[in-house]
Amino acid sequence: MRPARLSAVAAAATVAALTAVTGCTEKGSSAGGDRVVTVTATDDKCEVSKKEFPAGHVELAIENKGSKVTEVYILFPDDRIVTERENIGPGTKQTVTAEVKAGDYTIACKPGMKGDGIRQTVKATGKGAAAKRDPRLDKAVAAYREYAQAQADETLPKAEAFAKAVKDGDVEAAKKAYAPSRMGWERTEPVAESFGDIDPKVDFREDGLEAGQKWTGWHRLEKSLWQDKKIGAEEKALADQLVTDLKDWQKRVGKADITPTSMANGAKELLDEVATGKVTGEEERYSHTDLVDFKANVEGAEKAYELLKPVAKENDQALVTELDKQFGALNTLLDKYRADKASYDFTSYDKVGDADRKELSDGVNALAEPLSKLAAAVVVK
């Protein structure tokens, strides 16, 4: 779940044939000079070096010269997100690479990570370069699409069981069903978020709401169950709405635009989700089931990585060696907080002390850094 959105997205927007990948790179640009757009963000400006660039792979070279943490987005005209880079600290630089088709877009800087952002209208011109894809990557995409669909399919009966407990007024049964109902979503969250309008309905926290937005979804019910300790008519209606929205997600997963670079990007986004929500305890602030979400995010990231690994290994053996090491280390660390490796019965996160949270955070960061390079390893020729 993203902590906030730039603005309300179009509810029935058609998924466009466009894939985005974000990542921090250490060695130069993967795109040609005419495809690099310098973005200079301050507390009150969002300056871009060019307003037009060739369609295809476009790289944003971002520098935050402001005093606030910022985010930078590429948006469709209807505000659906093409790609994003969050948590860009003052005085730091980030690189965002997006694969875009010809058309109009918006580059938005979001100082303080609030509001609609400071915007610049840009255009991708021409047809873009069509790169020949390794057949193994086509196989990886097909396998990942099946995985994402399976996660959605498996989520529905669990969400229905959760909703039934809520509608029955059984607080304890609803609490027990809550975390399992979220795991498929958490494993494939970047795909779910690509539709724009579903995530705000099912997975927003109260502090992520925009002015006038009704709070619905899992976390609204989480608050009622754990903090308010009650189920009323409104909660029962919200349970039905959650199932309806998740059925919409289930039907649309097969239409998601998935490519090797979006898979790599999604893996990194899942680690970002852990770093910004689960490790801090903000995601599941009432139920304290953060470690269940944490594990699901890691599993989803690892699935994408394993499918891309054969090609990445040929292009960057050292990176694959490091990723294998860090995924193993993080999974071993998570195992400390559950009874056995086959169980998702994790320690309540409010029982995890500051030193242990720091250890978990360090493990996430150690994996996130090399994972940000996976997309480059996939597209290297």
Side-chain angles (χ1 to χ4, degrees), residues 175-250:
K175 285 182 175 181
K176 186 176 180 180
Y178 172 76
S181 76
R182 290 177 47 73
M183 292 191 67
W185 174 277
E186 292 291 336
R187 290 185 181 115
T188 59
E189 195 163 2
V191 176
E193 288 182 339
S194 73
F195 301 114
D197 57 309
I198 299 177
D199 182 61
K201 295 178 182 178
V202 306
D203 200 31
F204 258 32
R205 302 193 303 260
E206 189 171 16
D207 56 342
L209 299 174
E210 298 176 0
Q213 181 182 351
K214 182 180 178 181
W215 190 18
T216 60
W218 273 301
H219 295 302
R220 166 65 178 80
L221 293 167
E222 178 202 5
K223 182 176 185 289
S224 292
L225 293 170
W226 273 272
Q227 178 168 293
D228 302 336
K229 297 180 173 59
K230 70 178 182 66
I231 297 173
E234 182 180 2
E235 284 75 27
K236 293 177 182 180
L238 287 170
D240 277 333
Q241 186 60 50
L242 175 63
V243 171
T244 297
D245 292 334
L246 290 174
K247 285 181 178 178
D248 183 25
W249 163 54
Q250 179 192 31

Side-chain angles (χ1 to χ4, degrees), residues 73-94:
Y73 294 72
I74 300 179
L75 302 168
F76 289 106
D78 63 7
D79 271 14
R80 282 174 297 133
I81 297 171
V82 176
T83 193
E84 61 186 299
R85 172 59 67 190
E86 300 180 338
N87 300 308
I88 306 171
T92 63
K93 298 179 180 181
Q94 295 276 343

